Amino acid sequence: MKVLVVTNLFPTPWDPRRGTFNRQQFQRLAERHEVHVLTAVDFRERMAGTSGDAGVAGVVSDYFTFFHPPGFGRFLNAFCFFACLMWQRRRDLRNAGYDVMLASWGYPDAAGAAWVARLLGIPYVVKVHGSDLNVQAEFRLRRPQIRWALRGAAGVIAVSRALARKAVDLGASADTVEPLYNGVDTRLFHRGDRSAARARLDLPAGAPIVLYAGNLKATKGCLDLIEAFPALMARHPDARLVYVGDGPCHGNLEDRAAALCVAPAVRLVGAVDHAELADWFRAANVLCLPSHNEGVPNVVLEAMACGIPIVATAVGGIPEVVPDHAGILVPPHQSHELGTALVEAFERHFDPAAIAAHAATFRWEENIDRLERVLLRAVAGANRLPRRRTTPPDQPGRLPNT
């Protein structure tokens, strides 16, 4: 197959660390098929300048600038996505001869890309991740656009069963929806020597360490975690809290750490490359991710692959992948319960080998097998229908080559 992926979640020179889960998946798909990834780059980000190399071996990647209105005008984003894509890449798209399109992210990506697929006369598959349905579909003017994109899709891939149910509730045909967990690269994420990892990262050898890995956004629960941390320090005064990641809440976290008198125990590392996360996982005692909504965050799977337990919120697909022997789940927005869970996590015995063995069941090879079947079904279904011609014949009176 010749597959076109349209998404905002893929490494670009403006954000080389973006969409590492998609990078891993699409790179593996490209080992079997020809994969082109066309990534939307927000116009504000593009003006800020590039920040690194974003080449992905085996994948043909390109970018287009996504211009869109702010604030209330976001209900127009799907149209803007479509218009920007066609304005900047129309000729390339028409001449490439793609068999199928995969739109990764529900809004505006899938809603805008669906129009492009229809113009090209090719089937499309939508991949949904979490807040693209859980949050975006709650907006009155965006919901019908998402519903239209899901209903027209030849397949819908959801990263959890909870998200698959959400897609069906929004209007996707149940027989087109495929729950498909991401995989874990166990060559990179596996158990290792905690003391050695701490030495490399300049972390105290014997301190209890809580790790947060992800975007520093309020919806990820990073502020809830700083509020919960004093409960752990009351029981373990030498405890440390490490945030790995960047985002708009960086300053808020510093302010709250100072106000709660825990600033010396809190470390804000900033963003790191995906491969570097393995050492941070091995160095930690617990990964905490108190998100307000989620699909299935890959950091949870990767941390478990390194043998560390999880304290997280029971939202989205997290309860599907974190069994009792691998962690503790709490309701979202509840800092008191989160603090209690952190204390329990340090006083309860977890079996690192059992946690790592569970995480190893999330295999990228199986993920690609199933993704491939969804895409092949989409192509096969389209081939059974009359195909609209999008380019003129090579010569008058003759059909184009097939």
Side-chain angles (χ1 to χ4, degrees), residues 351-375:
D351 182 351
I355 295 173
H358 165 68
T361 64
F362 297 92
R363 299 172 53 250
W364 273 121
E365 190 69 21
E366 180 182 346
N367 175 285
I368 301 305
D369 287 345
R370 294 175 61 190
L371 172 61
E372 181 182 53
R373 287 197 293 269
V374 172
L375 295 172

Side-chain angles (χ1 to χ4, degrees), residues 9-10 34 56 70 97 125 137 179 202 387:
L9 293 171
F10 198 74
E34 186 176 350
V56 177
V125 171
D202 193 25
R387 185 79 173 267

Side-chain angles (χ1 to χ4, degrees), residues 181-265:
Y181 299 119
N182 282 333
V184 177
D185 185 353
T186 53
R187 296 169 300 178
L188 178 61
F189 297 100
H190 53 80
R191 294 175 64 200
D193 188 299
R194 176 170 292 162
S195 297
R198 290 190 177 192
R200 286 190 291 270
L201 300 171
D202 193 25
L203 293 170
I209 294 179
V210 177
L211 174 67
Y212 172 99
N215 291 326
L216 302 185
K217 300 194 302 184
T219 55
K220 289 290 186 180
C222 60
L223 297 175
D224 300 335
L225 177 54
I226 198 73
E227 300 294 335
F229 184 59
L232 179 63
M233 287 200 72
R235 296 289 291 269
H236 300 275
D238 59 340
R240 298 290 186 269
L241 173 57
V242 178
Y243 286 91
V244 174
D246 280 331
C249 287
H250 188 280
N252 304 80
L253 289 169
E254 290 181 326
D255 292 343
R256 285 306 293 159
L260 294 167
C261 301
V262 297

Side-chain angles (χ1 to χ4, degrees), residues 46-379:
R46 189 131 192 187
M47 289 189 297
T50 60
S51 58
D53 179 31
V56 177
V59 175
V60 178
S61 59
D62 203 350
Y63 324 99
F64 70 97
T65 305
F66 176 34
F67 297 95
H68 59 90
F72 177 75
R74 288 179 181 172
F75 75 93
L76 295 170
N77 278 9
F79 173 75
C80 295
F81 193 98
F82 161 74
C84 291
L85 187 51
M86 294 303 292
W87 166 44
Q88 297 170 52
R89 291 289 181 268
R90 178 177 63 250
R91 179 174 297 179
D92 295 338
L93 291 172
R94 288 188 180 277
N95 293 337
Y98 294 111
D99 296 300
V100 62
M101 176 189 291
L102 173 60
S104 181
W105 194 251
Y107 187 88
D109 306 35
W115 289 329
V116 176
R118 288 171 183 255
L119 282 176
L120 297 179
I122 61 174
Y124 68 93
V125 171
V126 175
K127 182 184 176 189
V128 291
H129 296 264
S131 58
D132 49 349
L133 296 193
N134 294 327
V135 176
Q136 296 292 336
E138 297 304 309
F139 289 87
R140 182 173 59 87
L141 296 178
R142 302 176 207 177
R143 187 182 184 91
Q145 299 177 61
I146 296 171
R147 178 186 298 115
W148 176 81
L150 294 175
R151 285 179 172 173
V156 176
I157 295 165
V159 299
S160 71
R161 292 194 298 271
L163 203 58
R165 291 191 293 270
K166 181 79 170 182
V168 173
D169 290 343
L170 283 168
S173 174
D175 59 0
T176 67
V177 179
E178 180 97 1
L180 182 57
Y181 299 119
N182 282 333
V184 177
D185 185 353
T186 53
R187 296 169 300 178
L188 178 61
F189 297 100
H190 53 80
R191 294 175 64 200
D193 188 299
R194 176 170 292 162
S195 297
R198 290 190 177 192
R200 286 190 291 270
L201 300 171
D202 193 25
L203 293 170
I209 294 179
V210 177
L211 174 67
Y212 172 99
N215 291 326
L216 302 185
K217 300 194 302 184
T219 55
K220 289 290 186 180
C222 60
L223 297 175
D224 300 335
L225 177 54
I226 198 73
E227 300 294 335
F229 184 59
L232 179 63
M233 287 200 72
R235 296 289 291 269
H236 300 275
D238 59 340
R240 298 290 186 269
L241 173 57
V242 178
Y243 286 91
V244 174
D246 280 331
C249 287
H250 188 280
N252 304 80
L253 289 169
E254 290 181 326
D255 292 343
R256 285 306 293 159
L260 294 167
C261 301
V262 297
V266 177
R267 180 174 169 184
L268 299 171
V269 174
V272 304
D273 289 339
H274 184 237
E276 294 178 35
L277 279 174
D279 256 355
W280 289 101
F281 293 143
R282 294 185 193 110
N285 298 93
V286 170
L287 175 81
C288 185
L289 190 65
S291 298
H292 301 165
N293 62 79
E294 275 293 354
V296 171
N298 253 45
V299 291
V300 167
L301 304 179
E302 291 164 350
M304 290 192 297
C306 294
I308 71 168
I310 309 297
V311 173
T313 42
V315 297
I318 293 177
E320 300 171 25
V321 300
V322 181
D324 289 342
H325 74 266
I328 303 170
L329 302 183
V330 298
H333 306 280
Q334 301 296 322
S335 296
H336 175 74
E337 293 194 38
L338 184 61
T340 301
L342 288 173
V343 172
E344 181 184 347
F346 279 94
E347 297 179 356
R348 182 172 138 190
H349 172 71
F350 289 98
D351 182 351
I355 295 173
H358 165 68
T361 64
F362 297 92
R363 299 172 53 250
W364 273 121
E365 190 69 21
E366 180 182 346
N367 175 285
I368 301 305
D369 287 345
R370 294 175 61 190
L371 172 61
E372 181 182 53
R373 287 197 293 269
V374 172
L375 295 172
L376 286 170
R377 283 200 302 267
V379 173

